[in-house]
Amino acid sequence: MVVAAIIIAVTSLLVSHYLVKDLSNEERKKMEVWAQALHALNHADENTDLSLVLDVIQGNNTIPVIVLDNKGNVDDYRNIAMDEKTAADSDAYVARYGKRLYEDGKYIKIHLGDSTQINDYQLVCYDESTLLKRLASYPYWQLGIVMIFVVVAIFALLSSKKAEQNKVWVGLSKETAHQLGTPISSLMAWVEILKENHPEDDLIPEMDKDVKRLERIAERFSKIGSLPEPKDGSMNDVLDHVIDYMDRRTSNKVEIIRHVPDHEVIVSMNASLFEWVIENLCKNAVDAMEGSGRIEITLTEEGSRVVIEVSDNGKGIRKKDLRNVFTPGFTTKKRGWGLGLSLARRIVEEYHKGRIFVKSSEVGKGTTFRIELPNRG
């Protein structure tokens, strides 16, 4: 579509250019005839038939023309459009107009006397007609309209593609939640049976936590594609839940440090989905550190924004990869799907009207992700 639009635009410009050029030559010929008629009028005697000459001179109703003497003074003019400002000093305006036409080479010289009197002449200065000027500007207007069409078409295609991707994400998420539902329900029933038969077993409560964790994951997947109603909640609690979960499922070589205010930071959010975002960032950090290092989670309030930063001292992200980290399917892991950060951005930006981006990253030193959310206060 872009190539077709460019071909149409270029063809239109070329055709219009040659058409304008032909019309310009035609107007030049008309002015040569008009100048000859003026010359004939200046040399008319009692035997000259002036009817044809006057018809030619008075027949020009479209081409602006100014007749100057050899000293640059205005002898006559026709078809010169003026507004109130220029009409107040029409002689000076017409003189300037005629001088500009002469400097542009748009004039015809006619001699008043014989050929020996080289200084006795008039200059017939002419401009393009209104029709010719409109025709000359038409292809540029057409080009602008074509460009608008191309931009709208590209935007529509991108929107259609994004809508199709969203349908795929939603379908995949809901199908995943549906498929997880049955085995999770079965596991919950088995856990209850184990609790009754082995109430003293210390492993069963841990198993119960994992089953509930699976239930929460299925719930998160089921919410993708629908706009979950946000509720006021403590961001401090969300971070505490994530840190507690990560502490129990990472090695002792990974240190998670939190920096949170003493007071509760209340945010309008879906806590379950937002925990998922922080978990994804922490899991990526653990992978980047290859199981050994430090993760720092910082919560601050900056005016109208609540800011969460997740930093690690892992291997960092190469500059050429920074622009693709949130692209679906992009991953640097051998077994990664490249979906975590894409879903995280969707949750932050579409569901919570916030922003998520890579604040800084340096190969060999680590990465900091920054999330900005509207402050409820």
Side-chain angles (χ1 to χ4, degrees):
M1 292 181 67
V2 173
V3 172
I6 292 174
I7 292 174
I8 292 172
V10 171
T11 303
S12 176
L13 286 174
L14 289 175
V15 172
S16 299
H17 170 73
Y18 286 114
L19 183 59
V20 168
K21 186 177 180 181
D22 291 341
L23 289 176
S24 180
N25 292 334
E26 192 69 25
E27 289 191 353
R28 169 79 182 187
K29 292 177 181 178
K30 288 182 180 180
M31 292 314 302
E32 289 176 350
V33 173
W34 196 89
Q36 290 175 4
L38 183 63
H39 183 269
L41 181 64
N42 290 332
H43 291 80
D45 54 25
E46 64 276 4
N47 298 319
T48 303
D49 184 6
L50 296 178
S51 60
L52 180 59
V53 173
L54 293 175
D55 285 344
V56 172
I57 293 176
Q58 294 175 358
N60 174 30
N61 297 314
T62 57
I63 303 175
V65 59
I66 301 172
V67 180
L68 302 177
D69 62 18
N70 56 1
K71 295 182 180 179
N73 299 318
V74 179
D75 286 344
D76 192 13
Y77 62 88
R78 294 178 64 86
N79 306 322
I80 304 298
M82 298 186 193
D83 54 23
E84 294 181 359
K85 183 177 180 181
T86 55
D89 192 8
S90 60
D91 292 339
Y93 172 74
V94 173
R96 291 194 302 270
Y97 194 176
K99 183 179 179 181
R100 186 170 70 252
L101 294 175
Y102 172 75
E103 291 173 350
D104 292 341
K106 297 179 178 180
Y107 68 91
I108 300 171
K109 182 184 287 188
I110 56 175
H111 291 278
L112 299 179
D114 55 40
S115 58
T116 60
Q117 296 174 314
I118 58 176
N119 292 326
D120 190 11
Y121 62 87
Q122 283 182 321
L123 296 175
V124 178
C125 303
Y126 64 94
D127 199 1
E128 297 173 341
S129 64
T130 302
L131 178 62
L132 186 59
K133 288 180 178 178
R134 288 176 179 174
L135 186 60
S137 62
Y138 168 74
Y140 297 99
W141 284 98
Q142 186 182 40
L143 181 61
I145 293 172
V146 170
M147 292 304 298
I148 292 174
F149 165 75
V150 171
V151 171
V152 171
I154 292 175
F155 179 77
L157 287 172
L158 292 177
S159 299
S160 175
K161 182 180 178 182
K162 185 176 180 180
E164 184 178 355
Q165 289 177 341
N166 287 340
K167 289 181 180 178
V168 173
W169 284 115
V170 171
L172 177 63
S173 300
K174 291 189 176 297
E175 181 62 20
T176 301
H178 176 70
Q179 294 294 337
L180 288 174
T182 301
I184 289 174
S185 299
S186 178
L187 287 173
M188 292 174 67
W190 283 111
V191 168
E192 292 301 322
I193 292 174
L194 289 174
K195 285 182 180 179
E196 292 178 1
N197 295 334
H198 305 280
E200 72 287 347
D201 196 326
D202 295 334
L203 295 179
I204 295 177
E206 294 299 321
M207 187 184 300
D208 186 39
K209 290 180 181 178
D210 286 335
V211 172
K212 289 181 179 178
R213 172 72 181 172
L214 286 173
E215 184 182 16
R216 181 177 296 181
I217 290 173
E219 179 188 1
R220 290 171 178 173
F221 274 108
S222 67
K223 291 179 179 178
I224 298 296
S226 58
L227 288 176
E229 184 176 352
K231 297 180 181 179
D232 289 348
S234 171
M235 183 59 71
N236 307 57
D237 292 343
V238 169
L239 297 182
D240 286 342
H241 292 161
V242 174
I243 293 172
D244 180 62
Y245 172 76
M246 293 300 299
D247 274 337
R248 289 186 285 110
R249 284 161 177 79
T250 55
S251 71
N252 296 329
K253 296 180 180 180
V254 175
E255 181 184 9
I256 301 179
I257 303 173
R258 75 190 79 188
H259 304 284
V260 298
D262 294 333
H263 61 278
E264 295 287 331
V265 177
I266 306 300
V267 178
S268 180
M269 61 178 171
N270 182 281
S272 177
L273 288 179
F274 206 82
E275 285 182 16
W276 193 3
V277 173
I278 305 301
E279 285 176 19
N280 266 301
L281 295 180
C282 290
K283 289 177 180 178
N284 286 341
V286 172
D287 292 337
M289 297 184 301
E290 297 180 347
S292 177
R294 184 182 69 257
I295 300 174
E296 294 189 30
I297 302 177
T298 304
L299 173 63
T300 57
E301 292 180 282
E302 298 179 1
S304 61
R305 298 176 300 182
V306 172
V307 177
I308 304 101
E309 292 186 355
V310 179
S311 304
D312 65 69
N313 60 348
K315 58 184 179 182
I317 304 172
R318 295 177 297 181
K319 288 185 178 180
K320 68 176 184 178
D321 293 334
L322 286 174
R323 60 193 300 180
N324 298 317
V325 293
F326 294 103
T327 303
F330 176 81
T331 180
T332 57
K333 306 174 189 176
K334 294 181 179 180
R335 297 185 179 180
W337 282 18
L339 302 180
L341 288 178
S342 175
L343 287 172
R345 183 171 67 174
R346 182 188 181 98
I347 292 169
V348 171
E349 296 183 358
E350 294 189 20
Y351 296 166
H352 294 85
K353 308 304 178 185
R355 295 177 61 211
I356 179 172
F357 56 93
V358 180
K359 179 182 178 181
S360 62
S361 185
E362 188 174 349
V363 175
K365 292 189 176 180
T367 302
T368 298
F369 281 88
R370 181 181 174 97
I371 299 172
E372 297 177 356
L373 298 175
N375 194 339
R376 190 184 67 87

